């Protein structure tokens, strides 16, 4: 008869006391989180979808390896196009040395690992361990969203972009000067491929940290300088691809401009809405900077990052739904005492830009398409409104109580300096 270890037997004996809520939640959430990772990264991602973001990337890196033209696509089609600069092509070149299926599967693997690493570093940033309930809760929350699912199913590089963002924010908050150099390298590597995180460079500028800017601009310059003579048609990127990037699409575009053009809104109304939300974002950034930058650096940095990114999605010419993935650091601020998203309108907004629910209606197709296409735009818009209103109403309450006099902090300005420190 095989002897069963005592430690294993003890795990199945009746408990002498009820388990804690944390123990129950971990037991429930970890299996669901692990299976969600498996389902999104192995089942859905390997099955693929009509939209294939990896196809143009693979064609480009193969052409790069063979010395053929890369920037020669027909932009009259709505299929995914290859828009990465020569430096990004060089960075992704190793995927051109594998068969197409193996290359795609490794690409999915690396992005899945990058998302999990981003979750791990976010937990560390908020002082949570992998043994806490927050770990499976965060991972599950990430992998049930439309943004993470679409990133893996469409097979694009947003998982790695998210990891670069989290490392950038974490090293900015570290307080050690050598980490500021690493922050610049982290965001610089993302800019080599796509400039979606460039708005975040305003944060080290506001915080008087110049070191991250060196890597943020230097890394892309180095990669592109090396790759430029290696690409057979580098000027086509300037003459053909860049104008397309700067143009406004009316498909797969949740920005105000993209949806406004799709629905035929007058340009003056589109411009007015863009200016309105830009001003809301500016007002929020001013209040965050004035009252939180030194008192609660973690809250200031991550909330400001969310405001900057959402404003860029709404106000610029392109905002795609799965860009919302970059808002996970901002959404984690819900656990902070100064959080601006501890209210139901904020979570209504989050539902809009994170949900996988589809709103296409077979019997009312026009209504269904409107709900489906606009839910992300409405979610981003509502979130900017919520953040500004919460901050502004706090300001008005403090002013009415006479707590804004010199040397007196408003009652809602809590000092969270032990959580993170930023050198000014």
């Amino acid at each position: 008869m095989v002897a069963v270890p005592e430690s294993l037997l003890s795990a199945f004996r009746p408990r002498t006391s009820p388990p804690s809520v944390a123990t129950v939640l971990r037991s429930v959430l970890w299996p669901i989180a692990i299976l969600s990772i498996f389902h999104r990264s192995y089942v859905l991602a390997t099955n693929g979808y009509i939209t294939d973001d990896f196809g143009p990337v693979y064609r480009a890196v193969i052409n790069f390896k063979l010395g053929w033209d890369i920037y020669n696509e027909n932009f009259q089609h709505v299929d995914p196009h290859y828009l990465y600069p020569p430096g990004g092509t060089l960075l992704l070149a190793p995927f051109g040395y594998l068969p197409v299926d193996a290359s795609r599967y490794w690409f999915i693997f690396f992005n899945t690992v990058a998302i999990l690493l981003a979750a791990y570093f976010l937990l560390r940033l908020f002082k949570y361990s992998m043994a806490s309930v927050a770990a499976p809760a965060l991972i599950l929350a990430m992998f049930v969203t439309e943004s993470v699912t679409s990133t893996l199913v469409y097979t694009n590089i947003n998982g790695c972009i998210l990891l670069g963002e989290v490392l950038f924010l974490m090293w900015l908050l570290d307080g050690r000067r050598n980490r500021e150099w690493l922050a610049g390298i982290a965001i610089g590597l993302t800019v080599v491929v796509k400039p979606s995180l460039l708005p975040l460079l305003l944060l080290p500028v506001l915080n008087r940290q110049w070191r991250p800017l060196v890597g943020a601009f230097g890394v892309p310059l180095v990669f592109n300088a090396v790759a430029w003579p290696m690409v057979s048609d580098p000027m086509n990127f300037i003459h053909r691809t860049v104008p397309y990037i700067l143009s406004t699409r009316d498909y797969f575009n949740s920005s105000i401009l993209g949806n406004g053009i799709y629905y035929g809104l007058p340009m003056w109304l589109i411009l007015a809405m863009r200016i309105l939300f830009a001003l809301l974002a500016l007002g929020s950034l001013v209040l965050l900077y004035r009252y939180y930058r030194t008192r609660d650096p973690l809250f200031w940095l991550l909330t400001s990052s969310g405001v900057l990114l959402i404003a860029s999605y709404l106000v610029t010419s392109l905002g795609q739904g799965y860009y919302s993935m970059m808002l996970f650091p901002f959404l984690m601020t819900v656990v902070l005492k100064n959080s601006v998203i501890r209210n139901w309108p904020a979570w209504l907004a989050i539902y809009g830009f994170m949900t996988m629910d589809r709103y296409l209606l077979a019997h009312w197709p026009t209504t269904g398409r409107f709900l489906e296409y606009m839910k992300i735009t409405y979610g981003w818009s509502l979130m900017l409104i919520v953040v500004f209103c919460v901050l502004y109403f706090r300001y008005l309450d403090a002013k009415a109580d006479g707590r804004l006099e010199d040397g007196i902090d408003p009652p809602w300005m809590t000092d969270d300096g032990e959580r993170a420190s930023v050198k000014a």
Side-chain angles (χ1 to χ4, degrees):
M1 188 172 181
V2 178
V4 181
E6 181 64 23
S7 59
L8 183 60
L9 286 174
S10 63
F12 289 93
R13 288 184 183 137
R15 291 181 177 272
T16 57
S17 61
S20 65
V21 174
T23 300
V24 173
L25 287 176
R26 286 196 299 269
S27 300
V28 171
L29 293 177
W30 267 122
I32 302 175
I34 292 170
L35 288 175
S36 296
I37 297 168
F38 174 79
H39 183 254
R40 266 56 173 187
S41 63
Y42 186 75
V43 179
L44 294 183
T46 56
N47 284 341
Y49 189 64
I50 298 170
T51 301
D52 178 17
D53 288 346
F54 184 70
V57 172
Y58 189 74
R59 183 191 73 87
V61 294
I62 287 292
N63 287 6
F64 177 78
K65 181 180 72 172
L66 298 175
W68 298 348
D69 287 355
I70 296 173
Y71 303 106
N72 55 2
E73 295 200 39
N74 182 359
F75 293 122
Q76 300 304 315
H77 297 263
V78 298
D79 297 328
H81 299 294
Y82 186 73
L83 306 176
Y84 302 158
T89 307
L90 176 62
L91 191 61
L92 298 173
F95 289 97
Y97 291 87
L98 295 171
V100 60
D101 286 341
S103 184
R104 185 170 185 270
Y105 298 153
W106 277 111
F107 201 78
I108 294 168
F109 172 78
F110 285 127
N111 275 278
T112 303
V113 171
I115 295 168
L116 292 173
L117 286 174
Y120 170 73
F121 287 121
L122 268 179
L123 290 169
R124 284 186 54 186
L125 189 59
F126 283 84
K127 309 302 182 186
Y128 291 113
S129 70
M130 292 300 293
S132 67
V133 175
L138 174 60
I139 293 171
L140 177 60
M142 294 173 85
F143 277 84
V144 298
T145 60
E146 186 276 337
S147 56
V148 168
T149 303
S150 293
T151 287
L152 297 176
V153 174
Y154 300 166
T155 319
N156 63 52
I157 202 170
N158 284 340
C160 296
I161 302 296
L162 174 64
L163 176 59
E165 177 195 7
V166 172
L167 291 174
F168 169 72
L169 296 171
M170 183 178 72
W171 282 327
L172 277 185
L173 284 162
D174 187 273
R176 289 175 285 182
R177 291 182 177 179
N178 62 328
R179 295 299 190 270
E180 294 180 15
W181 299 107
L182 293 177
I185 294 172
I187 198 171
L189 286 171
T190 71
V191 176
V192 170
V193 180
K194 56 168 66 174
S196 55
L197 296 183
L198 277 178
L200 297 185
L201 294 180
L202 179 62
L203 299 175
V205 172
L206 291 175
N207 209 46
R208 302 171 181 86
Q209 295 169 291
W210 59 267
R211 293 172 189 84
L213 303 179
V214 176
F217 293 106
V219 171
L221 285 174
V222 169
F223 267 89
N224 280 289
V226 173
W228 202 265
M230 301 172 67
V231 174
S232 64
D233 59 339
M235 293 308 298
N236 275 350
F237 175 75
I238 302 295
H239 299 311
R240 299 187 77 254
T241 305
V242 170
Y244 177 77
I245 293 173
L246 298 177
S247 65
T248 302
R249 315 176 200 171
D250 60 358
Y251 57 92
F252 301 122
N253 188 353
S254 297
S255 69
I256 292 172
L257 184 58
N259 269 329
I261 291 175
Y262 179 81
Y263 283 104
L265 297 183
M267 194 54 65
W268 68 264
L269 180 57
I270 294 173
L271 179 61
M273 288 191 292
R274 295 171 78 187
I275 293 173
L276 171 64
F277 283 100
L279 291 175
L280 285 175
L282 179 61
S284 297
L285 290 171
V286 169
L287 291 170
L288 286 165
Y289 178 83
R290 182 173 180 182
Y291 296 114
Y292 289 104
R293 185 179 71 88
T294 57
R295 295 180 177 92
D296 192 347
L298 179 63
F299 169 75
W300 167 73
L301 191 73
L302 270 60
T303 304
S304 297
S305 75
V307 171
L308 282 168
L309 290 175
I310 294 174
S312 70
Y313 304 156
L314 274 176
V315 175
T316 59
S317 61
L318 178 64
Q320 294 184 288
Y322 50 44
Y323 289 179
S324 299
M325 189 173 172
M326 309 309 156
L327 301 177
F328 283 124
F330 165 55
L331 299 184
M332 274 290 289
T333 61
V334 70
V335 302
L336 301 179
K337 48 193 170 186
N338 281 323
S339 176
V340 294
I341 57 174
R342 289 183 176 181
N343 53 78
W344 69 262
W347 289 91
L348 178 63
I350 294 166
Y351 173 83
F353 58 74
M354 285 294 191
T355 183
M356 286 190 64
D357 293 350
R358 304 298 300 273
Y359 278 85
L360 298 174
L361 298 170
H363 298 288
W364 302 278
T366 302
T367 301
R369 282 196 299 271
F370 177 81
L371 293 173
E372 177 68 17
Y373 299 161
M374 293 300 296
K375 68 179 190 291
I376 295 172
T377 309
Y378 283 160
W380 290 338
S381 303
L382 179 58
M383 181 57 79
L384 282 187
I385 294 170
V386 167
V387 172
F388 176 77
C389 288
V390 170
L391 293 171
Y392 186 62
F393 290 155
R394 286 179 183 178
Y395 167 79
L396 291 181
D397 287 345
K399 186 176 181 180
D401 292 340
R403 300 285 292 173
L404 288 181
E405 299 173 7
D406 291 340
I408 302 178
D409 290 346
W412 44 269
M413 303 297 181
T414 58
D415 187 359
D416 201 17
E418 295 182 358
R419 186 181 297 273
S421 62
V422 178
K423 287 187 179 294

